[in-house]
Amino acid sequence: MPKKTRQYDFSLIEKKWQKRWKKEKTYEPDLKNSKNPFYNLMMFPYPSAEGLHVGNMYAFTGSDIYGRYKRMKGFDVFEPVGLDGFGIHSENYALKIGTHPMKQSEISERRFYEQLEMIGNGFSWDERVETYKPEYYKWTQWLFTEMWRQGLAYRKKQAVNWCPSCKTVLADEQVIGGKCERCGTMVIQKELEQWFFRITKYAEKLLKNLETIDWSEKVKIAQRNWIGKSEGAMVTFKIKNRNEKLEVFTTRPETVFGATYMVLAPEHPLIESLKSEIKNYDEVRKYLETSKKKTDEERDKEKTGIRLEGVKAINPGTGEEIPMFAANHVLSGYGTGAIMAVPAHDERDREFAEIFKLPIQDVIDEKGRIKNSGKFDGLEAEEAKKEIIKHIGGKFHTQYRLRDWLISRQRYWGAPIPMIYCETCVKAGKGERKEMPGWYAVSENKLPVELPFIEEFRPQGHDQSPLASIESFHDVLCPACGSEARRETDVSDTFLDSAWYYIGYLMKHENWKWGMRDKNTKEHIKKWLPVEMYIGGAEHSVLHLFYSRFVAMVLKDAGVLDVEEPFTHFRAHGLLIKDGAKISKSKGNIINPDEYIKEFGADVFRMYLMFLAPFEQGGDFRDQGILGIDRFVKRVYAYFLRFKESEKKPGEDTERLLQQTIKKVGEDIEALKYNTAISQLMILLNALESEEASDHVLNKEDHKKIIKLLAPFAPHVSEELWEMFGEYESVHKAKWPEYDISLMEETTTQIIIQVNGKHRVTLTLEKGTSQKQVEEEAKKNQSVQKTLDGKSLKKVIFIKDKLINFVIQ
RNA sequence: GCCCAGAUGGCGGAAUUGGUAUACGCGCACGACUCAAAAUCGUGUGAGGAAACUCUUGAGGGUUCGAGUCCCUCUCUGGGCACCA
């Protein structure tokens, strides 16, 4: 790390102001009576690693600058923070260092809040929440029971993702490229009964509402792709000599005459029911068994499959008998788990057909018209779609790629799923929901179901949470019949904790006195939601940001929220890079924010992070670069220290530059272009320093404006300067300066003189100079004269106050 | 394979509607201060050329009076999805 270049005592100044802000509750808005609320949210960190990551600080600083700016623009900014401390990530960390998660959470909490204080953000401290506190997870559990009540939580046995290292199931969204989102281990498939949330019910709304919210486009695209809507048709194929049918989903029903074979996923139930018909069943079974064991990656390589000898399907278009196959490239979880294969018009079907030497029937000509399809020949594809579906008795169908959210985890460190299962009720056919006899949700007045302290908290690996071996936890009485019953022992996915934390902050304000449905909570919700600006990482595109939208929609339907979309604006910040790689421990390029803050101060460090590149792009962290900001802050401080009121008048240029700076800094903050806002402040300082030697100087009021412009970026030093300028109320509550257009206007303008589009000279002329005069002036110039000399002038392009271009032969 | 973002000096990056390419900062060089160094301050800094001037925004083509910016083709880098029928 480079060494700082200055002796001004930032540590004293920073501590002084952090203490005073906290004491005076500078950043606590009046949640109840606010007239102009602005909810400025940042993604709360999970305290798993050794401390606050520089990536956290990067994100938080960017969000804080925006919040501070909005506060100065007159909004009551609510900028809360908390800890997302429940879940596998924190538990894995506790396991690694050999501390109990309950103990570790206390240690991490202290450490994180200390660090969060040091970075100098305008946090609303009073409302901080921790997801692992019973008063918080009471409402995580309540949310689960609400899902249950709305018929959105259900249990189902199916092949699910299982991480062998974390020893738990995972949701589809938490499998990144076939690997566990937390530990990077290859995920395998296991057939298990698990709890799911019916997020697919909201698929269309989740998709459609994307058009109504202002989010970083790449996040919207990721969500759109994840939902994966396709329009097509369901088509039924009869099985020859059997009563059975096979339904398939296709996006191209018009090609049904070209379907020359069928393929079933290995898990498809029809294979089992056709068992007696399939002549090579032993062989088939062997194929199914090996393919089920294979991981997705192994399945990837080459197309394999096996013919179901002796069974045939009937093509509903041609009436022809076509062969059937089982193959693992057909996924059981999408559509009906079976396809009609049209090798002439689908690349994958062709590849498979070539391996198995199957016929290829072309049904669309070069002009996109139907052929070889009987009476439909000659129709355009779109029209044929309708006609053919009608003819074969299919029906239009919209299919989504999205699958339900697998919510249970076989781990310890999470919110216990608040459900009870009663065998006695099952026998009697009783239960809260008909389709799930024996299951009861824990009622609100019995929440939270507290997570007990247990010594043996390690994941067990036999498909059950460690809580399954704690009798005192799982032995309960049935809430309906009073017989001995069993509590659910799985915990819920961490992403459920974080899906509603922005409401948690509002509830914490009243110290959890009021429930989610209480009218006092509702008032806060009504006043403060939706979140006006949410800044965070794009890696949460189809995780937290997706789940949160779903949960908000459910809460809207439950009458808790008035809005469907919790975050009207979301901006994804970029990634910090160092030495050409993403910052990570394995790359050995870790940046410890504490060390930099200790050496340079929070103001300098946060300003450097914002200066190195556009915030939404992310940037390249270079140690040496911080010296530039270090010098700048030092020069600012020294300059203001030197300032004395005097009779001197400001220079016109400097006055204009100040107005331009006010305009640019404000606009750049709005656009999150903090790097160019900072450059502009540097340009201004450079000008001010050169003016010191002249007879001109800006007055005190103008200097105060400059302190305000600096305040969002360097909150401590600007507060100190503000006080030095005789102010008592915090600069962060001062009114953002306005710029005066009349002071920005110049009487002269720079006119670019081009010949054939090539820049020759620049002339400074009066604004509004006519084309004729500009031409004359330009022709006086030697360089221009020389190039024009002896050539015939073809054309002159003139743009007033800007440019003249002589086009010559 | 598909989708998204990007490629500009030695480096991080600027550049409104298509109109002075390289703002701001780092680094470097020289100078001042100093016994000296660091820090600080000043000057310079895209390439070639003595200069006039020429060339220069990943490569190639196009549109235009004029292209870093618009269009087409390609290369590379980063990120996401990945047999989704």
Side-chain angles (χ1 to χ4, degrees):
Chain A
M1 192 195 303
K3 293 289 169 208
K4 63 162 185 274
T5 61
R6 152 208 39 219
Q7 296 308 319
Y8 107 85
D9 200 342
F10 58 80
S11 76
L12 215 69
I13 291 175
E14 292 185 357
K15 276 203 195 85
K16 166 182 162 187
W17 289 107
Q18 283 164 12
K19 220 170 122 189
R20 199 175 299 177
W21 291 334
K22 210 167 183 186
K23 191 176 140 225
E24 291 176 2
K25 294 194 182 292
T26 308
Y27 308 118
E28 293 294 339
D30 182 346
L31 289 199
K32 205 168 187 139
N33 301 311
S34 164
K35 292 237 159 44
N36 212 358
F38 188 96
Y39 199 150
N40 187 52
L41 188 64
M42 56 195 83
M43 287 182 177
F44 65 160
Y46 52 85
S48 61
E50 285 74 5
L52 196 71
H53 188 268
V54 69
N56 294 137
M57 188 170 161
Y58 184 68
F60 296 164
T61 304
S63 177
D64 184 59
I65 289 170
Y66 197 81
R68 286 181 183 278
Y69 169 75
K70 284 287 172 185
R71 190 178 293 108
M72 293 176 79
K73 288 292 262 187
F75 290 93
D76 299 322
V77 173
F78 183 42
E79 189 175 301
V81 72
L83 297 175
D84 187 15
F86 243 162
I88 302 176
H89 43 241
S90 300
E91 189 181 321
N92 283 356
Y93 176 63
L95 280 167
K96 200 181 98 192
I97 64 164
T99 322
H100 193 280
M102 274 192 187
K103 180 101 186 129
Q104 184 53 43
S105 70
E106 286 171 26
I107 300 168
S108 298
E109 185 176 316
R110 230 174 298 128
R111 172 126 172 73
F112 262 75
Y113 283 141
E114 236 170 65
Q115 288 184 299
L116 285 169
E117 210 162 319
M118 268 173 21
I119 66 175
N121 276 25
F123 285 131
S124 309
W125 285 109
D126 292 353
E127 285 80 16
R128 61 192 189 274
V129 299
E130 301 82 30
T131 55
Y132 46 87
K133 299 273 171 77
E135 62 267 27
Y136 183 93
Y137 67 72
K138 171 180 179 178
W139 296 102
T140 307
Q141 291 174 334
W142 179 87
L143 197 54
F144 192 105
T145 62
E146 188 57 35
M147 292 277 180
W148 167 257
R149 277 189 287 275
Q150 291 193 35
L152 296 168
Y154 67 94
R155 277 174 78 80
K156 191 184 169 190
K157 186 170 185 176
Q158 68 169 57
V160 293
N161 309 304
W162 173 269
C163 173
S165 167
C166 292
K167 298 188 173 74
T168 180
V169 298
L170 295 172
D172 291 340
E173 291 81 4
Q174 289 147 34
V175 179
I176 315 282
K179 291 176 180 166
C180 170
E181 180 245 348
R182 291 308 341 150
C183 69
T185 306
M186 280 310 287
V187 164
I188 60 167
Q189 298 294 305
K190 256 196 183 187
E191 187 92 359
L192 291 173
E193 187 174 312
Q194 296 289 320
W195 284 103
F196 290 88
F197 281 168
R198 213 180 293 280
I199 192 170
T200 51
K201 189 185 164 192
Y202 288 84
E204 186 60 31
K205 194 171 268 181
L206 285 163
L207 182 67
K208 230 167 100 195
N209 279 11
L210 286 175
E211 307 310 318
T212 69
I213 52 180
D214 178 7
W215 283 27
S216 293
E217 199 53 34
K218 62 175 174 179
V219 175
K220 290 214 242 180
I221 289 166
Q223 294 204 353
R224 238 174 249 135
N225 293 342
W226 190 256
I227 295 165
K229 181 178 182 174
S230 341
E231 313 220 35
M234 284 293 186
V235 179
T236 305
F237 286 63
K238 286 186 181 131
I239 307 296
K240 186 194 170 192
N241 296 334
R242 293 280 298 201
N243 223 359
E244 242 94 16
K245 282 174 182 163
L246 178 57
E247 193 173 45
V248 298
F249 172 71
T250 174
T251 50
R252 302 194 61 189
E254 70 278 13
T255 63
V256 71
F257 283 76
T260 55
Y261 63 94
M262 313 290 291
V263 188
L264 281 67
E267 296 85 356
H268 200 286
L270 191 63
I271 302 174
E272 183 65 23
S273 56
L274 292 175
K275 194 173 167 179
S276 55
E277 302 286 314
I278 300 171
K279 289 186 182 140
N280 57 340
Y281 188 72
D282 281 351
E283 229 180 302
V284 170
R285 205 188 51 215
K286 227 176 272 168
Y287 176 80
L288 302 187
E289 274 164 15
T290 48
S291 74
K292 277 182 202 169
K293 261 186 242 156
K294 283 181 182 167
T295 66
D296 282 353
E297 206 183 37
E298 285 167 331
R299 283 185 177 200
D300 244 348
K301 285 163 197 162
E302 247 174 38
K303 279 205 169 43
T304 61
I306 186 160
R307 191 189 284 255
L308 308 179
E309 302 281 2
V311 292
K312 296 269 183 180
I314 313 286
N315 182 317
T318 61
E320 276 169 31
E321 295 174 10
I322 55 174
M324 294 169 68
F325 292 80
N328 60 25
H329 73 270
V330 175
L331 308 173
S332 63
Y334 183 79
T336 65
I339 60 160
M340 67 175 211
V342 185
H345 303 290
D346 184 286
E347 201 51 49
R348 298 153 304 177
D349 292 347
R350 177 181 322 206
E351 197 191 321
F352 191 84
E354 277 163 6
I355 293 170
F356 287 87
K357 311 254 180 314
L358 298 162
I360 288 173
Q361 170 72 318
D362 192 0
V363 290
I364 294 180
D365 68 18
E366 314 79 54
K367 288 180 190 152
R369 275 191 254 270
I370 302 296
K371 64 178 183 183
N372 299 330
S373 300
K375 61 178 178 178
F376 304 104
D377 286 1
L379 289 183
E380 300 284 344
E382 274 317 298
E383 204 188 341
K385 222 169 230 177
K386 273 184 244 159
E387 295 299 320
I388 292 178
I389 288 174
K390 211 195 293 171
H391 175 71
I392 60 175
K395 52 183 188 292
F396 281 102
H397 179 79
T398 302
Q399 182 68 43
Y400 299 92
R401 185 189 170 283
L402 179 67
R403 296 204 289 162
D404 279 340
W405 179 8
L406 170 48
I407 200 80
S408 32
R409 296 290 179 274
Q410 289 69 48
R411 296 285 292 233
Y412 168 68
W413 191 237
I417 290 175
M419 297 298 295
I420 293 168
Y421 182 65
C422 172
E423 285 283 357
T424 314
C425 285
V426 176
K427 282 172 197 146
K430 284 195 266 176
E432 262 179 346
R433 288 222 329 253
K434 215 169 44 197
E435 68 279 18
M436 288 189 59
W439 282 102
Y440 295 93
V442 175
S443 58
E444 185 176 325
N445 57 14
K446 295 263 171 57
L447 293 176
V449 175
E450 281 211 39
L451 181 69
F453 178 91
I454 62 173
E455 285 295 342
E456 200 36 70
F457 65 88
R458 269 150 226 287
Q460 307 292 296
H462 40 65
D463 310 343
Q464 288 203 314
S465 149
L467 293 172
S469 39
I470 309 296
E471 281 173 22
S472 59
F473 176 76
H474 64 63
D475 284 355
V476 285
L477 296 180
C478 172
C481 73
S483 343
E484 283 179 14
R486 188 182 165 93
R487 206 185 271 296
E488 169 66 65
T489 54
D490 281 356
V491 300
S492 58
D493 182 4
T494 327
F495 283 98
L496 186 60
D497 306 324
S498 55
W500 67 278
Y501 76 114
Y502 61 95
I503 305 169
Y505 290 135
L506 296 172
M507 292 167 78
K508 173 67 187 295
H509 183 74
E510 307 290 343
N511 217 6
W512 304 107
K513 196 163 148 200
W514 312 111
M516 190 90 77
R517 282 187 186 284
D518 192 277
K519 72 174 192 345
N520 292 286
T521 303
K522 274 206 134 163
E523 266 176 43
H524 281 338
I525 285 175
K526 195 162 185 182
K527 195 177 260 297
W528 289 90
L529 293 179
V531 167
E532 290 275 342
M533 179 52 110
Y534 193 16
I535 288 175
E539 70 275 15
H540 283 292
S541 296
V542 296
L543 289 163
H544 162 67
L545 287 168
F546 195 57
Y547 296 138
S548 300
R549 293 185 58 221
F550 161 59
V551 167
M553 286 172 188
V554 174
L555 287 172
K556 166 79 178 5
D557 288 347
V560 172
L561 295 184
D562 317 299
V563 292
E564 258 169 16
E565 289 296 334
F567 320 125
T568 52
H569 301 259
F570 173 81
R571 291 290 177 271
H573 61 76
L575 277 183
L576 274 186
I577 300 288
K578 194 178 182 236
D579 309 326
K582 197 176 146 180
I583 292 168
S584 75
K585 214 160 34 183
S586 57
K587 293 264 164 32
N589 57 356
I590 285 285
I591 299 161
N592 183 347
D594 292 12
E595 288 172 22
Y596 282 86
I597 289 173
K598 205 173 150 212
E599 182 68 26
F600 295 95
D603 280 341
V604 168
F605 191 49
R606 48 187 272 146
M607 206 159 173
Y608 173 59
L609 290 176
M610 296 301 109
F611 180 64
L612 52 79
F615 184 60
E616 288 183 87
Q617 182 189 301
D620 199 341
F621 189 98
R622 304 237 153 198
D623 272 349
Q624 287 298 317
I626 198 171
L627 293 176
I629 297 289
D630 189 51
R631 287 174 193 138
F632 172 71
V633 174
K634 174 189 177 179
R635 277 165 54 209
V636 168
Y637 189 74
Y639 172 82
F640 276 90
L641 225 55
R642 286 197 300 272
F643 174 78
K644 273 194 218 81
E645 275 188 275
S646 72
E647 297 294 300
K648 290 179 179 177
K649 287 246 163 59
E652 218 178 272
D653 290 347
T654 319
E655 183 62 54
R656 190 179 307 118
L657 184 62
L658 172 64
Q659 301 306 321
Q660 283 165 350
T661 302
I662 294 170
K663 182 167 187 277
K664 180 152 178 66
V665 171
E667 285 170 358
D668 281 355
I669 292 176
E670 293 272 8
L672 308 183
K673 289 183 180 166
Y674 303 138
N675 57 331
T676 46
I678 294 168
S679 322
Q680 184 66 30
L681 290 167
M682 289 173 167
I683 292 168
L684 180 64
L685 178 68
N686 291 346
L688 291 175
E689 285 180 337
S690 0
E691 197 176 61
E692 277 183 290
S694 75
D695 284 337
H696 299 291
V697 68
L698 290 178
N699 62 28
K700 189 173 172 186
E701 283 313 304
D702 282 342
H703 277 82
K704 279 161 79 172
K705 287 179 189 167
I706 298 167
I707 298 173
K708 289 182 190 176
L709 297 182
L710 211 60
F713 302 97
H716 310 90
V717 76
S718 42
E719 192 78 296
E720 181 73 13
L721 294 172
W722 192 242
E723 191 188 47
M724 262 164 44
F725 270 59
E727 293 286 338
Y728 297 102
E729 180 99 38
S730 170
V731 68
H732 302 296
K733 292 190 158 181
K735 199 170 168 299
W736 188 258
E738 306 264 342
Y739 57 87
D740 183 344
I741 293 175
S742 68
L743 292 174
M744 281 166 71
E745 275 171 15
E746 293 184 65
T747 52
T748 59
T749 179
Q750 308 262 300
I751 297 188
I752 301 151
I753 315 299
Q754 297 181 335
V755 178
N756 279 354
K758 193 160 281 192
H759 177 226
R760 287 288 148 188
V761 286
T762 305
L763 298 179
T764 304
L765 294 171
E766 289 279 312
K767 263 193 176 171
T769 309
S770 71
Q771 175 168 352
K772 203 175 150 209
Q773 283 171 294
V774 174
E775 274 185 41
E776 276 169 21
E777 288 298 322
K779 283 173 183 166
K780 281 184 199 159
N781 181 279
Q782 275 199 350
S783 162
V784 176
Q785 229 171 56
K786 225 168 75 183
T787 35
L788 291 182
D789 196 33
K791 307 278 168 54
S792 69
L793 202 58
K794 227 172 104 186
K795 200 171 163 187
V796 179
I797 311 279
F798 178 71
I799 297 163
K800 200 176 151 200
D801 293 343
K802 213 164 205 174
L803 159 148
I804 192 157
N805 185 11
F806 298 100
V807 184
I808 56 173
Q809 210 66 54

